[in-house]
């Protein structure tokens, strides 16, 4: 077994690319990146999350000669992202916002809290805090004269799709939702099934996969039942130290001590963000969404498996009485909406394409078709 596979099994490497948490920026540009001057208006803006007491910064693009366009906010996935969602040499949100604005849709994309020009502490935030930021972005759009205030929506990618679910469920000013690589079953189940597929695809044997999954179950039980921070830390540390002994080959990376390894795991699994995210159940939120919904997942997505999650999204929306739903599994598309070969995360950086034109066209056409 490759040692890198075994390191990933306990979370350090796999977590770094989980959902779309990569933030390794490259200087080189990709062929889909737009060049100035743009054939539309582009303005740097600021808006305030009054509840959190922080100012967020972003870019607002609007079609020229159109003061009644639909508008969307873009919400990024896991990890620290700037307004362009710049990682692994791809500027996903720059490419998507450019396409949408060229096709008559206004777009607000913004730096995550604590990233770029946005205030706040990213490390202390949970998914629900990010939802609060998104609600503030929608409130900002309501003040803009360039748009149709009856057609304001949210586009969320990966964890951003979870944010979109939360916002649409509790904020009546959302007129439509686009969920990209969104979940429809409990987050812990989605996580485990996706990571199991990734580890198997990387060549990990079934015995070691089973060890990892048993450890994950212990972790989940602990973060669910132990609300005291100190007690949780003690229990998690015990799980990680005992887990090391279960493998024939040590999972500790070269140059790292056991204490350093355990601290790295504690930083991941003991964080408020992870504890909150692993306990998230999309069902109750999806059932409360009344506006039109477009849910797109890639057929080759190995992080959020498409069949079970799209089925879960459909069932929960219908249970809540929402029949304004369009759901599609896109052939050959991976977790970050590239046309791909394997769908594995190590392929993301190697692919020249940043965002599938087929997917972008579906998104734009659907938004433009949404009735007021």
């Amino acid at each position: 077994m490759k040692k890198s596979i075994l390191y990933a099994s306990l979370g350090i490497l796999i977590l770094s690319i989980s959902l779309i948490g990569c933030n390794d920026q490259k200087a080189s540009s990709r062929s889909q990146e737009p060049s100035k001057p743009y054939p539309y208006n582009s303005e740097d803006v600021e808006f305030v999350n009054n509840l959190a007491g922080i100012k967020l910064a972003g870019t607002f693009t609007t079609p020229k000669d159109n003061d009644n366009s639909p508008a969307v906010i873009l919400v990024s996935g896991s990890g620290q992202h700037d307004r362009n969602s710049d990682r692994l040499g791809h500027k996903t949100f720059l490419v998507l916002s450019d396409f949408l604005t060229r096709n008559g849709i206004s777009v607000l994309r913004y730096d995550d809290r604590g990233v770029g020009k946005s205030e706040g502490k990213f490390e202390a935030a949970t998914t629900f805090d990010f939802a609060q930021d998104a609600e503030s972005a929608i409130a900002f759009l309501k003040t803009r004269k360039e748009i149709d205030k009856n057609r304001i929506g949210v586009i969320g990618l990966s964890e951003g799709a979870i944010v979109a679910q939360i916002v649409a469920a509790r904020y009546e000013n959302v007129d439509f939702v686009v969920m990209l690589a969104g979940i429809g079953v409990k987050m812990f189940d989605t996580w485990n099934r996706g990571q199991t597929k990734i580890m198997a695809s990387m060549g990990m044997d079934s015995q070691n996969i089973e060890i990892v999954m048993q450890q994950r179950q212990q972790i989940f039980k602990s973060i669910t039942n132990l609300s005291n921070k100190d007690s949780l830390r003690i229990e998690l540390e015990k799980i990680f130290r005992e887990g090391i002994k279960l493998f024939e080959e040590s999972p500790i990376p070269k140059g790292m001590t056991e204490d350093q390894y355990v601290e790295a795991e504690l930083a991941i699994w003991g964080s408020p963000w992870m504890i909150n995210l692993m306990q998230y159940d999309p069902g109750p939120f999806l059932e409360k969404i009344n506006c039109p919904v477009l849910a797109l997942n890639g057929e080759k997505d190995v992080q959020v498996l498409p069949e079970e999650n799209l089925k879960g999204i459909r069932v929960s929306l219908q249970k809540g009485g929402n029949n304004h739903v369009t759901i599609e599994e896109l052939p050959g598309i991976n977790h970050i909406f590239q046309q791909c070969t394997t769908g594995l995360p190590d392929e993301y950086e190697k692919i020249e394409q940043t965002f599938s034109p087929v997917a972008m066209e579906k998104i734009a056409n659907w938004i433009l078709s949404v009735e007021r």
Side-chain angles (χ1 to χ4, degrees):
M1 181 193 302
K2 297 179 181 179
K3 281 187 88 60
S4 62
I5 295 175
L6 192 49
Y7 300 154
S9 74
L10 293 184
I12 291 178
L13 295 183
I14 281 185
L15 184 63
S16 71
I17 48 83
S18 68
L19 300 177
I20 60 167
C22 308
N23 200 36
D24 181 16
Q25 299 181 1
K26 303 291 182 181
S28 61
S29 60
R30 303 285 181 156
S31 58
Q32 285 181 297
E33 286 184 25
S35 299
K36 294 181 179 180
Y38 304 135
Y40 49 79
N41 305 312
S42 181
E43 176 188 356
D44 288 339
V45 298
E46 293 181 338
F47 56 96
V48 177
N49 178 338
N50 290 311
L51 292 176
I54 60 174
K55 186 181 295 183
L56 299 162
T59 299
F60 183 45
T61 55
T62 58
K64 287 186 176 180
D65 304 320
N66 185 351
D67 60 358
N68 199 38
S69 65
V72 298
I73 65 167
L74 303 184
V75 185
S76 63
S78 304
Q80 300 183 41
H81 292 271
D82 65 14
R83 67 194 68 185
N84 293 330
S85 195
D86 187 348
R87 76 276 179 273
L88 294 179
H90 292 286
K91 297 179 180 178
T92 303
F93 278 2
L94 174 61
V95 171
L96 178 57
S97 65
D98 176 77
F99 183 89
L100 294 177
T101 310
R102 288 172 187 265
N103 283 275
I105 300 165
S106 295
V107 180
L108 173 61
R109 63 189 196 274
Y110 55 93
D111 301 331
D112 290 344
R113 60 166 68 191
V115 178
K117 295 184 178 180
S118 288
E119 298 174 348
K121 294 183 178 180
F122 182 90
E123 296 80 5
T126 69
T127 307
F128 285 89
D129 294 317
F130 301 136
Q132 195 180 89
D133 294 340
E135 290 169 356
S136 301
I138 295 171
F140 169 78
L141 286 182
K142 287 286 186 180
T143 70
R144 302 296 301 212
K145 66 181 188 313
E146 303 97 327
I147 66 170
D148 183 345
K149 294 179 178 59
N150 294 312
R151 288 192 293 169
I152 296 177
V154 182
I155 299 178
L157 176 58
S158 194
E159 187 188 357
I162 295 176
V163 170
Q165 294 172 3
I166 295 168
V167 173
R170 70 184 188 184
Y171 195 63
E172 62 182 13
N173 286 325
V174 178
D175 299 303
F176 60 87
V177 172
V178 179
M179 291 184 283
L180 306 176
I183 68 170
V185 299
K186 293 180 179 180
M187 185 64 221
F188 182 73
D189 294 335
T190 296
W191 173 275
N192 271 351
R193 290 165 188 160
Q195 296 305 306
T196 297
K197 186 167 184 175
I198 289 173
M199 288 186 287
S201 298
M202 291 170 67
M204 182 180 287
D205 61 71
S206 59
Q207 181 178 351
N208 281 312
I209 290 176
E210 181 62 26
I211 291 172
V212 175
M213 290 300 103
Q214 288 178 1
Q215 186 188 54
R216 295 281 173 83
Q217 290 291 342
Q218 290 178 307
I219 293 170
F220 183 69
K221 183 178 179 180
S222 297
I223 64 179
T224 301
N225 297 331
L226 296 175
S227 57
N228 181 276
K229 186 177 181 180
D230 292 335
S231 298
L232 177 59
R233 179 183 174 85
I234 292 171
E235 183 62 25
L236 290 179
E237 181 173 353
K238 178 182 176 182
I239 292 171
F240 297 137
R241 291 193 187 278
E242 290 180 351
I244 294 170
K245 304 171 185 176
L246 298 177
F247 294 93
E248 292 182 5
E249 185 180 359
S250 173
I252 302 174
K254 185 177 181 180
M256 180 181 281
T257 67
E258 180 176 322
D259 287 344
Q260 291 172 329
Y261 174 80
V262 171
E263 282 300 318
E265 294 284 18
L266 286 170
I268 294 169
W269 293 99
S271 69
W273 170 77
M274 178 61 89
I275 292 170
N276 180 275
L277 185 63
M278 285 296 107
Q279 297 182 77
Y280 180 75
D281 181 357
F285 293 92
L286 290 167
E287 290 173 22
K288 294 178 182 177
I289 298 176
N290 297 315
C291 64
V293 174
L294 172 65
L296 300 177
N297 287 49
E299 174 252 336
K300 287 188 176 292
D301 188 342
V302 296
Q303 294 180 244
V304 176
L305 304 184
E307 183 176 358
E308 64 186 50
N309 281 287
L310 288 177
K311 179 180 178 180
I313 290 170
R314 183 186 300 278
V315 169
S316 292
L317 288 170
Q318 289 179 342
K319 185 177 179 180
N322 190 343
N323 295 315
H324 305 289
V325 179
T326 302
I327 291 178
E328 188 171 351
E329 181 179 311
L330 302 181
I333 298 297
N334 64 16
H335 184 67
I336 60 172
F337 280 74
Q338 299 167 306
Q339 197 74 35
C340 67
T341 302
T342 68
L344 290 171
D346 64 0
E347 190 181 38
Y348 299 165
E349 185 177 11
K350 302 171 187 176
I351 299 173
E352 175 63 22
Q353 183 184 85
T354 295
F355 207 113
S356 163
V358 173
M360 289 194 290
E361 187 172 353
K362 286 181 181 293
I363 294 166
N365 289 342
W366 182 85
I367 291 172
L368 293 171
S369 72
V370 173
E371 297 181 359
R372 302 182 190 180

